[in-house]
Amino acid sequence: MSERYRVEPGQKVKLSKWDPAETGEFDSKGKARKAMQNNLKRLAKLEYLLYAESKRSVLIVLQAMDAGGKDGTIRHVMGPLNPQSCRVTSFKAPSAEELSRDFLWRIHKAVPAKGEIGIFNRSHYEDVLIVRVKKLVEKAVWSKRYRQINDFERLLSENGVHILKFFLHISKDEQLKRLQSRLDDPDKNWKITPADAEERQYWDDYVAAYEDALTQCSTSYAPWHIIPADAKWYRNLAISEILVEAFEGFGMQFPKPAADVASIKLK
Ligand code: ATP
Ligand code: MG
């Protein structure tokens, strides 16, 4: 699964070539349910092992257009994880204090410690997405950030942070449907903001900005995956599967006990 959706280093991304509505080998949610449950079970065990071992950490980066499904992914895929070793950080518009530092300052502080899983709901990529599209800084500033991001992610990776990045790819029509339902359903009204309607007008600019970020910042040590996300169930399944594959590839083992277990007598 990972190979299918991974952007290879140096591969030029054209999002129109990636189908947001495909569902792989599965034609319905029902058929995928078993695979999903199995993945979640395996993931919980692997997380336990990651925590026990405490040798490395996992950083999961989620990016998407508005209504792309970041929150739903966190609820369904990461919801079953143990809150003891898993933390979500949501990155909003930077505060005055954050703006007075380099753009990675607030990001670095949120990187997971060894044994932990960190989930970024939006991330440092906003600094080459909204910041570029809305011209919040000059081109001379944002254009250097692709290299700076790669350097930063390499530093993390060389220090035991496994980075997995997911772009939840929805179509413009699917976004319209989801935003419309936020307007129509009183229980979803709280989710919609004028910014959602405003940002939608910049769809093409966002596509161009995403294509550059996905092309320039997919590396062997911090790969991007482009996940078909029009079908929420398939999005969840694909991400859970890629996480299991990655965790299993770490070759983790429970640490040796600190003491001679046989010599410990309980009374
Ligand atoms: P939802 O998808 O549920 O609406 P959200 O992640 O969009 O959640 P909001 O509070 O609606 O949360 O929006 C956060 C806003 O902060 C986004 O528009 C995002 O682009 C913006 N943002 C994040 N990082 C930066 C940044 N570095 N510079 C400027 N804006 C940023
Ligand atoms: Mg929003």
Side-chain angles (χ1 to χ4, degrees):
M1 195 75 101
S2 165
E3 218 166 290
R4 179 174 184 147
Y5 298 121
R6 192 170 58 217
V7 178
E8 294 305 328
Q11 182 182 349
K12 191 163 172 26
V13 173
K14 213 56 214 134
L15 280 176
S16 55
K17 300 224 168 81
W18 296 71
D19 178 7
E22 68 129 323
T23 55
E25 287 84 58
F26 297 87
D27 50 21
S28 73
K29 183 177 180 175
K31 292 203 178 124
R33 188 168 294 131
K34 239 189 162 163
M36 179 73 190
Q37 280 169 353
N38 185 35
N39 285 346
L40 294 181
K41 236 198 244 161
R42 283 160 79 193
L43 205 53
K45 282 195 182 146
L46 288 159
E47 181 200 29
Y48 184 64
L49 192 48
L50 182 91
Y51 186 61
E53 204 195 41
S54 282
K55 268 194 184 165
R56 67 195 91 224
S57 62
V58 177
L59 173 58
I60 299 168
V61 172
L62 296 176
Q63 284 288 160
M65 297 282 197
D66 285 313
K70 293 180 278 83
D71 291 359
T73 301
I74 293 169
R75 197 163 57 246
H76 294 287
V77 183
M78 292 96 188
L81 296 178
N82 182 352
Q84 177 114 307
S85 53
C86 177
R87 186 158 53 105
V88 180
T89 310
S90 298
F91 291 99
K92 311 280 182 186
S95 65
E97 191 190 18
E98 289 166 345
L99 278 174
S100 70
R101 263 80 178 202
D102 71 88
F103 75 106
L104 292 167
W105 181 74
R106 66 175 183 161
I107 306 293
H108 208 157
K109 285 197 296 188
V111 168
K114 289 189 169 60
E116 290 180 358
I117 299 174
I119 297 151
F120 283 1
N121 180 350
R122 301 190 189 268
S123 65
H124 41 306
Y125 283 91
E126 293 293 321
D127 292 282
V128 289
L129 293 165
I130 189 170
V131 166
R132 163 175 160 170
V133 169
K134 305 306 280 295
K135 302 186 169 56
L136 301 181
V137 301
E138 287 168 27
K139 183 171 183 187
V141 175
W142 61 252
S143 60
K144 290 197 188 87
R145 289 183 173 167
Y146 302 96
R147 178 184 50 75
Q148 291 166 350
I149 287 174
N150 287 342
D151 288 347
F152 170 66
E153 292 181 351
R154 183 193 290 275
L155 167 96
L156 297 183
S157 145
E158 288 177 351
N159 285 277
V161 185
H162 291 268
I163 306 170
L164 294 158
K165 302 179 295 200
F166 297 97
F167 170 60
L168 314 182
H169 182 32
I170 56 164
S171 66
K172 201 176 175 189
D173 284 349
E174 178 65 22
Q175 187 193 51
L176 183 62
K177 265 194 233 155
R178 293 187 189 179
L179 292 178
Q180 191 61 49
S181 83
R182 290 182 185 183
L183 281 177
D184 298 341
D185 180 348
D187 290 353
K188 290 187 183 165
N189 283 170
W190 67 274
K191 269 194 179 184
I192 191 123
T193 61
D196 292 321
E198 148 104 12
E199 295 304 313
R200 185 171 158 78
Q201 294 175 26
Y202 293 90
W203 179 275
D204 292 344
D205 294 337
Y206 273 107
V207 167
Y210 266 111
E211 287 177 341
D212 273 351
L214 294 164
T215 298
Q216 298 197 47
C217 299
S218 196
T219 54
S220 57
Y221 50 87
W224 268 111
H225 301 81
I226 301 177
I227 303 296
D230 278 3
K232 295 174 182 174
W233 59 268
Y234 187 69
R235 169 200 78 203
N236 295 340
L237 177 73
I239 295 177
S240 66
E241 186 108 7
I242 292 168
L243 291 178
V244 169
E245 278 173 22
F247 274 70
E248 286 185 339
F250 299 161
M252 294 186 287
Q253 283 180 339
F254 283 109
K256 293 221 161 31
D260 175 9
V261 176
S263 72
I264 301 175
K265 301 278 177 256
L266 302 173
K267 287 190 182 140

